[in-house]
Amino acid sequence: MVDQADTYFRQGTPQKTVELAQQALVIFQEIKEPRLQAFAYRELSVGYGELGNDAQAMAEAQNFLTFARKTKNSLWEKNALNLIGDLHKKFGRKQQAIIAYQQALFITTDNQVTGNNAGTYAGLANIYQSLNQPNTAITYYKQYINKIEEVRHGIQGLPPELQNSFLNTTVDFNKVKIADIYRQYANLLLSQGRQQEATQVLELLKIQEIQEVSTGGNTTSNMPKLPLTSSEMKIAAPNPSIIALGIQIRECEQKNCPQQTQLHDKLTAVVDEFNQELEKIDKEISSRIAIDKSTFDPTKLAAVREIVKQPGTVMIYPLVLDDKLWLLLYSGDAAQKFEVSVTRAELGKTVKEFRDLMEECEKRVCGSVDIAKVQPVSHKLYDWLIKPIETELKKNQVKNIVFALDRVTRYVPMSALFDGKQYLIENYTTYNVLSADLTDVHDKLSKGTQNNPVLAMGISNAVGGFRALPNVPKELDAIVKHNTSNQGIYPGKEYLNSAFNYRSLRDNLTGHKILHLATHGAFVAGSKDESYLLLGTGDKLRIREIKNLTGLSNIHLVVLSACQTALAAPLQDGVEIASVAYYFLNDGAKAVMASLWQVSDASTSELMQHFQDLRIDKLDNKCSSEKKKKYAIASPQDNGDGCSHIRRKLADLFIIKMPKSQGRCGTLY
């Protein structure tokens, strides 16, 4: 019952939390189980706190603390003090929150408790950020991130459901989750002009989000990711004077001694002195940063530099916060930040409007009237996501833009953004990556077609309750070159309908470099277990089952040519898109490509044929020529249904991982 109460809290229904915790408390009191009563007190405290009942929440937290001290359980005492600190913070009592957090830090627990003090560091970071002591706050944010990275490493090997239960944990009031604190930290760094450090945090954030859904990757190290400077170590050390006085006050209150006022006055003076010392250290750190901004491990950004060292290439990180949007532009060894005044809700609403308009063109005949509706919405997104950095792109003669997208921007086909005259694809080659750290720009497909065999599989029949895809046979035949025909591009194998099953997929990966799957599929938000690809037998290949496929390490490109991603609400994060790619990439595939939404069977088939044809060597290898060919696919002549122009222009495909021949003039592979 207590566990269920906690679940309701994390789901955002605190009234249910209070009701269940009250019922549990009555039961535990009747059966005389004080240990379980303590847990009920804790759930009552968080429930009342979320409901805004300060007095009742604090009373229940004190009950929890009293029991922890009575049983001499140091872990529970630390937990109770941290909860009291969270309550003081929530209701604006910042100095009392610092005292409670400092007391929690001073309590020692079993060294085997992974991620110990993470919540305390997050609370202190938030407090000092609100006190306008950014460097002190940054120190505590670093400590928090390091502790969370320890936990992430420690849970590898646990069942996925246990990993996911941790990674989706609500860690503070107002439904604040782990990834939210990464964003708070990155936002603070950006506001202080520390763009390169923010880039490092964003890299960790993106990996964290993928882990939250995929729960299958391995952390490279159990060492802290963000090392502290000597000045920051001074901040991170708990203050023993505050701790000692806190203990004296607690003992005095228990005995009702007459020195309570005197002790509280002394504690106030010590806290004030401590904060003045932190302000001095904060200024010291600021002065050092002014001289040398390399206050972090520079090797952590090696992956970003590897990408942007390609000629004419930049990398863009959007960071979507509740009240604003940051654009982080990375080029060479320099990072620039651009603040955009758009809320997460407004951005999400516009993305959903754009998606809804585009998907409407797949349901009926569309024409110039529909284009006139789509372009203003696309232009609005362009003004938020590209316009602020447009001058820098033009000034530096940028040709290739690599996006590491965040939250709802993952649903945006970036090359379809409209500046009022042209689409982004007409001026730049665009790519999407999960994160720079998960990107390899060195491994390339071989030149020529004979050295790049393809495994092409698909469905044309109506199976499993899904409609037929009659153009798939033509699509596969145009890609796979058979000895008896001049048709096709690559040598390889072709499996259609019932021949396309799990065993034929698993057993034929070895020896092929391209995996082309023309089938139904869906990337479902909120649950990794619901995303799937449809096999020719009518069975669903769940995305989590991809990790059971051996032989993916031979595959350079995975093409999913008939999948779709639903955007049901403006505040969706789009992590399901990244997680599908992550399963393929984590097991060795080099790149993944998929459609963002459902496109008609005929359009998809034709587009896939043109796309694969772009790889062959007979094409001119000049960048300008390549761009023209890519644009030719994007806007062919109308085929009679009145919708080809808008469909091809905007039904964008996205590359999940950096194309391997990026150095070869931005070619698709």
Side-chain angles (χ1 to χ4, degrees):
M1 192 174 289
V2 171
D3 288 343
Q4 191 174 358
D6 187 65
T7 298
Y8 277 122
F9 168 73
R10 301 186 192 287
Q11 291 176 345
T13 52
Q15 186 59 50
K16 286 284 189 180
T17 298
V18 170
E19 292 172 2
L20 279 175
Q22 287 174 333
Q23 296 174 25
L25 182 60
V26 171
I27 294 172
F28 298 152
Q29 288 172 337
E30 289 177 351
I31 63 176
K32 294 182 171 51
E33 275 286 354
R35 181 179 64 86
L36 296 178
Q37 290 177 42
F39 292 141
Y41 288 137
R42 184 190 182 285
E43 293 307 318
L44 282 170
S45 179
V46 298
Y48 281 123
E50 192 74 359
L51 289 170
N53 190 334
D54 183 5
Q56 193 64 44
M58 189 59 71
E60 303 298 353
Q62 289 292 346
N63 286 335
F64 181 32
L65 178 62
T66 298
F67 177 80
R69 286 171 171 167
K70 182 178 179 181
T71 58
K72 298 181 179 180
N73 188 313
S74 59
L75 184 60
W76 290 355
E77 184 178 5
K78 180 186 284 288
N79 188 298
L81 285 168
N82 199 63
L83 175 57
I84 290 171
D86 288 344
L87 288 168
H88 283 311
K89 173 169 67 70
K90 176 177 174 61
F91 293 105
R93 299 182 293 271
K94 297 176 182 179
Q95 297 302 329
Q96 292 97 316
I98 291 172
I99 293 170
Y101 287 139
Q102 284 286 338
Q103 290 177 336
L105 283 178
F106 195 75
I107 295 173
T108 57
T109 58
D110 185 351
N111 290 332
Q112 299 302 313
V113 178
T114 305
N116 198 15
N117 294 326
T120 309
Y121 291 133
L124 286 166
N126 186 275
I127 288 289
Y128 282 107
Q129 184 173 357
S130 69
L131 291 172
N132 197 29
Q133 295 186 37
N135 293 310
T136 301
I138 285 169
T139 298
Y140 287 122
Y141 273 127
K142 277 188 178 182
Q143 292 284 76
Y144 171 79
I145 298 296
N146 290 340
K147 290 297 181 182
I148 291 300
E149 291 296 317
E150 285 180 11
V151 178
R152 284 182 52 208
H153 177 83
I155 65 175
Q156 302 302 323
L158 290 179
E161 59 272 16
L162 294 182
Q163 295 186 40
N164 201 43
S165 65
F166 162 73
L167 293 168
N168 284 319
T169 297
T170 299
V171 293
D172 201 352
F173 293 108
N174 302 319
K175 296 187 285 187
V176 173
K177 299 184 183 297
I178 289 172
D180 295 326
I181 299 179
Y182 279 69
R183 287 188 173 89
Q184 292 170 10
Y185 180 28
N187 180 44
L188 177 59
L189 289 169
L190 289 170
S191 70
Q192 297 300 304
R194 297 166 69 166
Q195 289 93 320
Q196 291 187 331
E197 290 172 271
T199 301
Q200 185 180 352
V201 175
L202 287 172
E203 281 291 293
L204 293 174
L205 167 63
K206 293 184 185 304
I207 295 172
Q208 169 76 6
E209 287 187 314
I210 297 166
Q211 291 276 356
E212 283 189 6
V213 178
S214 301
T215 63
N218 294 313
T219 307
T220 57
S221 171
N222 61 352
M223 298 299 291
K225 300 287 184 179
L226 305 173
L228 298 181
T229 65
S230 57
S231 298
E232 289 171 338
M233 288 180 181
K234 296 177 185 177
I235 294 175
N239 187 299
S241 299
I242 293 177
I243 310 303
L245 279 170
I247 294 173
Q248 291 180 38
I249 290 172
R250 184 180 74 234
E251 293 174 348
C252 183
E253 288 174 342
Q254 290 174 345
K255 298 176 181 178
N256 198 25
C257 70
Q259 292 85 20
Q260 286 188 45
T261 300
Q262 181 182 355
L263 287 172
H264 277 290
D265 288 343
K266 190 174 181 180
L267 179 60
T268 300
V270 170
V271 170
D272 183 62
E273 181 183 355
F274 176 63
N275 285 333
Q276 289 182 30
E277 183 64 26
L278 287 184
E279 287 180 9
K280 293 178 183 177
I281 297 174
D282 201 85
K283 292 177 181 178
E284 176 189 345
I285 293 175
S286 293
S287 64
R288 291 187 182 185
I289 290 174
I291 299 171
D292 180 11
K293 296 186 182 296
S294 299
T295 56
F296 62 99
D297 184 354
T299 62
K300 297 299 181 184
L301 294 179
V304 178
R305 294 194 184 99
E306 193 67 27
I307 291 173
V308 299
K309 78 177 184 180
Q310 310 292 336
T313 301
V314 297
M315 194 164 188
I316 298 175
Y317 286 82
L319 176 63
V320 180
L321 302 173
D322 288 341
D323 61 340
K324 72 182 74 171
L325 168 70
W326 285 106
L327 296 176
L328 192 61
L329 176 66
Y330 207 94
S331 176
D333 290 326
Q336 296 173 269
K337 63 178 174 62
F338 302 83
E339 184 176 347
V340 183
S341 297
V342 58
T343 65
R344 180 187 177 191
E346 185 179 4
L347 177 62
K349 180 181 178 181
T350 306
V351 172
K352 189 174 188 309
E353 181 183 2
F354 177 66
R355 288 287 303 263
D356 290 346
L357 286 169
M358 281 309 308
E359 291 177 4
E360 187 63 29
C361 275
E362 292 304 324
K363 299 175 184 176
R364 59 177 176 80
V365 175
C366 300
S368 58
V369 174
D370 299 283
I371 296 175
K373 292 179 181 178
V374 173
Q375 286 181 340
V377 183
S378 180
H379 194 182
K380 192 175 183 180
L381 291 171
Y382 181 96
D383 286 345
W384 289 331
L385 296 168
I386 302 297
K387 186 70 174 179
I389 59 177
E390 189 177 57
T391 301
E392 291 297 321
L393 297 178
K394 292 179 179 178
K395 183 173 66 176
N396 293 286
Q397 297 181 332
V398 171
K399 297 179 181 178
N400 309 307
I401 303 177
V402 181
F403 293 98
L405 298 174
D406 183 44
R407 284 185 162 171
V408 76
T409 62
R410 290 181 173 123
Y411 296 100
V412 179
M414 302 303 288
S415 61
L417 296 182
F418 187 63
D419 67 3
K421 295 181 179 179
Q422 292 180 303
Y423 295 92
L424 197 66
I425 194 175
E426 298 179 62
N427 296 310
Y428 305 98
T429 302
T430 62
Y431 306 101
N432 285 16
V433 297
L434 295 182
S435 77
D437 199 44
L438 294 175
T439 301
D440 176 12
V441 298
H442 298 294
D443 199 358
K444 304 176 183 179
L445 279 173
S446 304
K447 290 185 178 181
T449 59
Q450 288 301 118
N451 298 320
N452 297 305
V454 61
L455 176 61
M457 316 183 90
I459 296 174
S460 62
N461 295 336
V463 294
F466 293 86
R467 59 181 173 81
L469 299 173
N471 288 280
V472 165
K474 179 182 177 182
E475 177 182 333
L476 299 188
D477 288 342
I479 294 169
V480 180
K481 186 175 182 63
H482 300 282
N483 294 331
T484 58
S485 172
N486 292 325
Q487 192 178 7
I489 302 170
Y490 303 99
K493 295 181 180 179
E494 183 178 328
Y495 292 85
L496 185 65
N497 294 322
S498 61
F500 168 30
N501 55 55
Y502 181 78
R503 287 187 174 87
S504 61
L505 171 61
R506 180 195 62 193
D507 298 345
N508 287 282
L509 289 171
T510 302
H512 295 94
K513 292 189 176 181
I514 301 171
L515 175 61
H516 187 103
L517 301 178
T519 180
H520 292 287
F523 307 154
V524 183
S527 174
K528 63 182 183 299
D529 294 329
E530 294 183 17
S531 295
Y532 65 87
L533 300 174
L534 187 68
L535 299 172
T537 56
D539 298 321
K540 291 180 180 179
L541 174 65
R542 299 292 178 182
I543 296 302
R544 68 179 184 277
E545 295 173 340
I546 292 171
K547 63 184 178 181
N548 298 328
L549 295 173
T550 57
L552 280 173
S553 60
N554 303 302
I555 302 297
H556 283 247
L557 176 68
V558 178
V559 179
L560 310 175
S561 76
C563 294
Q564 60 178 308
T565 304
L567 176 55
L571 296 183
Q572 280 182 208
D573 275 351
V575 182
E576 71 279 4
I577 301 172
S579 67
V580 171
Y582 182 80
Y583 274 112
F584 280 107
L585 299 174
N586 192 54
D587 285 295
K590 308 304 184 297
V592 181
M593 188 187 79
S595 51
L596 275 172
W597 56 67
Q598 182 176 331
V599 185
S600 74
D601 178 42
S603 295
T604 301
S605 177
E606 186 177 350
L607 181 59
M608 287 296 100
Q609 294 170 51
H610 280 294
F611 169 75
Q612 297 287 7
D613 190 59
L614 278 175
R615 176 63 180 83
I616 62 178
D617 286 344
K618 67 182 180 182
L619 292 178
D620 189 346
N621 197 33
K622 294 180 180 178
C623 289
S624 59
S625 178
E626 171 69 24
K627 188 182 296 179
K628 289 177 183 177
K629 292 179 178 65
K630 191 173 182 183
Y631 179 55
I633 294 177
S635 55
Q637 298 298 315
D638 190 276
N639 65 7
D641 68 356
C643 195
S644 290
H645 178 74
I646 189 172
R647 179 181 295 121
R648 297 295 174 70
K649 184 80 77 171
L650 298 179
D652 182 56
L653 297 170
F654 65 98
I655 299 294
I656 294 288
K657 194 165 185 277
M658 188 71 173
K660 298 306 145 220
S661 60
Q662 166 65 16
R664 294 179 56 214
C665 157
T667 52
L668 291 174
Y669 294 148

